[in-house]
Amino acid sequence: MKFPGRSRIALGLAAGAAAIIVPLTATTASAATSPYGPGWVQVGGENFPGGYWQCIDEMSAWVKQTPQYDMVGCNRDPQPGMPNFYDEWMHLAK
């Protein structure tokens, strides 16, 4: 099936948003081992062209909207074609 340029962009944006939103809204803990210690949950991963501080800034905005978490962490994990990919972590509030 062939999509016009505008439709392909919309489909790509929707798929990209779903790939980020689904992990951030998941409530189960990831099986990944936390680089930060106990109480941390991997909530997703994303490429941040602005690097580490962009990741921290965007994750901090999420933690303000998600009361079950109280701290954020970004662990650099370069992927093919995405040199600024970071695993996103949040700490479960007590």
Side-chain angles (χ1 to χ4, degrees), residues 4-93:
R6 209 176 287 181
S7 295
R8 281 185 293 192
I9 292 170
L11 287 172
L13 291 174
I20 299 304
I21 292 169
V22 170
L24 288 175
T25 57
T27 57
T28 58
S30 172
T33 302
S34 167
Y36 302 103
W40 288 84
V41 178
Q42 186 175 4
V43 294
E46 188 175 349
N47 192 54
F48 292 94
Y52 176 80
W53 290 110
Q54 180 186 2
C55 179
I56 291 294
D57 288 344
E58 290 187 24
M59 292 300 298
S60 294
W62 273 99
V63 84
K64 290 176 184 175
Q65 300 173 20
T66 316
Q68 71 258 33
Y69 302 109
D70 59 1
M71 292 186 282
V72 299
C74 294
N75 190 38
R76 191 164 184 264
D77 184 18
Q79 303 292 318
M82 294 184 284
N84 291 315
F85 190 89
Y86 288 83
D87 294 329
E88 300 163 323
W89 296 82
M90 289 187 175
H91 183 264
L92 292 168

